[in-house]
């Protein structure tokens, strides 16, 4: 794997004053880490900081919120981006999950302070408190409409809420262990959940009933994703005719990131296994990049890119640190990943540098959500950070 550049987490604060400096490092597998620093020498005539780097590092373009650093010897470049704004008052403790509505106006988040809240994405102002789960809520997401929220908790309950009046409109019961992730099929007449109990279930929102156990693998399922399959992929046929309440399950694959080091693909309508890939450690999260390509992240820091048509060997394995990969999100023609050491980065096919979303200092970044050119992250330090990509 290529070399990894790092910068002091609060570099943008450190470089606000003249002679301010921030440390840099370049780590390459099997070689000693190169350490250095960037120092501010004053302002240019355009009002942009004049920043120089120590030996071995080169400073490229600098803006108020970003700095491009390269290490020519290792042929690696990273653009470090500071948050555009931060929201520190939404929750009192660690924020474990968040999502942004389809229109970009609202956020929803869950915290170890025991609360789930809806807030304005522009300023973090709290709009609604969603109360009803017993114990912690593990995951939350908006339906495509942006008016309804789906949540899963340690209490093994899956709930649907109105974002407008905070009422809980449906509660699904059936799991025997805490719910760890959810997915929404098409517009959301059916939803999916996975649990510590080793199962993934399909639910009918209209009748608030379970339509079936899609898979029971005997190992906690940490994350799921649903996507439309490549047409040549054989998804198998259902043993019994699907219920007419199943809407939009045909031609879809359900991905399961499992605690027992396995990434599994199952035909959503057929309930038949499509593939099983064994990784280096427990899988924490998974996502579809397209109908052909999928990504999955492990506890020991590997991000596997696989082709669903042939999962015998990964297309590539990205490894930037040994910290757990906690969330993966497709973004434009690449993806955003966050890890347990506070790193959060964007890899794009057409960019010759990695984009690093900075400021979380060694605190896990649990989840990433995006709306157009805005990226939101939530972290163990209790802060929601919003990054603006428009100035890239």
């Amino acid at each position: 794997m290529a070399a990894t550049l790092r910068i002091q987490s609060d570099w943008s604060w450190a470089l606000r004053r003249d002679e301010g400096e921030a440390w840099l490092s370049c780590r390459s597998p099997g070689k000693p880490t190169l350490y250095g620093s960037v120092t501010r020498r004053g302002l240019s005539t355009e009002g942009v900081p004049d920043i120089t780097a120590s030996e071995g590092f080169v400073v490229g373009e600098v803006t108020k919120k970003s700095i491009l650093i390269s290490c020519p010897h290792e042929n690696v470049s990273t653009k470090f981006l500071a948050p555009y704004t931060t929201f520190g008052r939404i929750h009192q403790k660690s924020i474990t999950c968040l999502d942004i509505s389809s229109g970009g106006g609202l956020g929803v988040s869950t915290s170890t302070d025991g609360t789930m809240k809806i807030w304005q994405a522009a300023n973090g102002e709290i709009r609604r408190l969603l109360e009803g789960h017993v114990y912690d809520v593990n995951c939350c997401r908006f339906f495509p409409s942006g008016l309804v929220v789906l949540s899963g908790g340690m209490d093994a309950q899956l709930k649907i809420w109105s974002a407008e009046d905070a009422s809980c409109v449906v509660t699904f019961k059936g799991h025997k262990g805490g719910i760890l992730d959810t997915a929404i099929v098409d517009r959301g007449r059916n939803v999916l959940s996975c649990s510590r109990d080793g199962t993934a279930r399909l639910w009918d929102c209209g009748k608030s009933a379970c339509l079936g156990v899609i898979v029971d693998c005997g190992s906690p399922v940490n994350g799921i994703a649903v996507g439309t399959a490549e047409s040549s992929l054989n998804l198998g046929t259902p043993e019994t005719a699907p219920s007419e309440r199943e809407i939009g399950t045909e031609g879809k694959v359900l991905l399961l990131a499992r605690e027992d080091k396995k990434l599994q693909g199952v035909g959503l309508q057929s309930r038949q296994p499509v593939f099983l890939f064994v990784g280096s450690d427990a899988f924490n999260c998974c996502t579809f990049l397209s109908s052909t390509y999928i990504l999955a992240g492990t506890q020991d820091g590997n991000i596997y890119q696989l082709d669903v048509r042939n999962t015998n060997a990964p297309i590539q394995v990205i490894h930037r640190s040994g910290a757990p990969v906690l969330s993966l999100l497709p973004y434009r023609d690449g993806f955003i990943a966050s890890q347990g050491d506070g790193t959060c980065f964007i890899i794009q096919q057409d960019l010759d540098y990695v984009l690093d979303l900075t400021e979380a200092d060694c605190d896990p970044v649990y989840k990433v959500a995006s709306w157009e050119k805005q990226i939101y992250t939530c972290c163990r330090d209790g802060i929601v950070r919003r990054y603006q990509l428009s100035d890239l």
Side-chain angles (χ1 to χ4, degrees):
M1 184 58 206
T4 307
L5 279 170
R6 289 278 172 86
I7 198 167
Q8 184 173 318
S9 63
D10 60 352
W11 63 271
S12 68
W13 291 94
L15 299 177
R16 277 185 184 180
R17 54 184 175 78
D18 286 350
E19 301 308 317
E21 69 171 350
W23 60 261
L24 291 171
S25 72
C26 179
R27 193 176 58 94
S28 192
K31 297 183 188 171
T33 301
L34 176 66
Y35 293 100
S37 62
V38 279
T39 308
R40 173 163 159 166
R41 297 279 178 232
L43 281 180
S44 70
T45 45
E46 288 85 49
V48 173
D50 172 24
I51 291 170
T52 56
S54 58
E55 195 182 344
F57 296 95
V58 176
V59 177
E61 190 196 9
V62 176
T63 70
K64 283 188 174 141
K65 294 284 183 187
S66 74
I67 184 168
L68 180 63
I69 306 275
S70 48
C71 179
H73 186 65
E74 293 295 341
N75 194 23
V76 61
S77 298
T78 298
K79 180 176 271 193
F80 297 100
L81 190 63
Y84 179 75
T85 182
T86 58
F87 306 139
R89 296 203 176 138
I90 298 174
H91 293 285
Q92 287 353 160
K93 288 186 182 172
S94 170
I95 304 174
T96 49
C97 191
L98 94 168
D99 193 23
I100 301 296
S101 66
S102 52
L106 294 176
V108 62
S109 54
T110 59
S111 166
T112 55
D113 65 11
T115 66
M116 174 166 45
K117 294 176 182 177
I118 291 176
W119 36 273
Q120 275 176 270
N123 57 14
E125 201 172 290
I126 294 161
R127 296 290 299 273
R128 297 281 179 265
L129 188 59
L130 305 180
E131 295 178 297
H133 278 287
V134 188
Y135 314 124
D136 282 355
V137 190
N138 290 332
C139 47
C140 58
R141 70 169 68 240
F142 282 100
F143 276 74
S145 67
L147 303 171
V148 186
V149 169
L150 177 67
S151 67
M154 289 288 279
D155 57 6
Q157 297 187 86
L158 189 66
K159 288 179 178 282
I160 296 177
W161 312 79
S162 159
E164 293 168 304
D165 65 5
S167 60
C168 175
V169 286
V170 175
T171 298
F172 298 113
K173 294 181 181 178
H175 278 295
K176 308 272 189 297
I179 292 171
L180 300 176
D181 199 11
T182 62
I184 292 173
V185 184
D186 290 348
R187 295 215 323 271
R189 289 171 69 180
N190 289 177
V191 297
L192 291 147
S193 59
C194 67
S195 161
R196 287 183 199 281
D197 66 12
T199 68
R201 290 171 179 261
L202 181 71
W203 309 87
D204 172 6
C205 297
K207 291 247 167 102
S208 58
C210 183
L211 289 168
V213 174
I214 305 295
V215 68
D216 185 350
C217 60
S219 162
V221 182
N222 295 320
I224 50 173
V226 66
T228 303
E230 219 311 293
S231 53
S232 63
L233 199 62
N234 178 13
L235 300 183
T237 45
E239 287 170 11
T240 53
S243 152
E244 73 279 359
R245 301 288 305 176
E246 265 192 44
I247 316 283
T249 56
E250 196 179 350
K252 302 258 187 354
V253 174
L254 180 66
L255 291 184
L256 302 111
R258 294 168 33 171
E259 184 68 23
D260 60 2
K261 306 187 184 182
K262 290 175 182 146
L263 178 73
Q264 184 176 9
V266 177
L268 183 53
Q269 192 181 67
S270 70
R271 324 283 205 253
Q272 303 294 323
V274 177
F275 67 82
L276 192 64
F277 174 80
V278 181
S280 55
D281 203 345
F283 279 98
N284 291 330
C285 50
C286 54
T287 191
F288 282 85
L289 288 177
S290 67
S291 58
T292 313
Y293 299 122
I294 57 175
L295 280 183
T298 60
Q299 187 67 14
D300 60 357
N302 284 327
I303 298 171
Y304 291 91
Q305 185 182 351
L306 300 166
D307 184 325
V308 290
R309 297 164 301 185
N310 177 11
T311 57
N312 293 334
I315 299 167
Q316 64 167 338
V317 182
I318 296 163
H319 184 93
R320 285 177 58 84
S321 83
V325 180
L326 300 176
S327 91
L328 290 167
L329 180 72
Y331 190 73
R332 298 193 192 161
D333 54 359
F335 66 89
I336 311 176
S338 73
Q339 291 187 265
D341 57 1
T343 56
C344 183
F345 58 92
I346 305 179
I347 291 185
Q348 297 272 255
Q349 280 168 353
D350 57 347
L351 285 187
D352 53 5
Y353 55 83
V354 174
L355 192 59
D356 207 313
L357 306 183
T358 61
E359 207 186 81
D361 185 16
C362 303
D363 274 308
V365 175
Y366 291 117
K367 194 81 177 175
V368 183
S370 69
W371 181 74
E372 294 188 350
K373 291 181 175 178
Q374 295 170 22
I375 313 287
Y376 294 78
T377 65
C378 67
C379 180
R380 188 173 69 187
D381 62 12
I383 295 174
V384 169
R385 294 179 172 86
R386 182 175 127 212
Y387 300 84
Q388 197 81 29
L389 294 193
S390 46
D391 56 349
L392 297 181

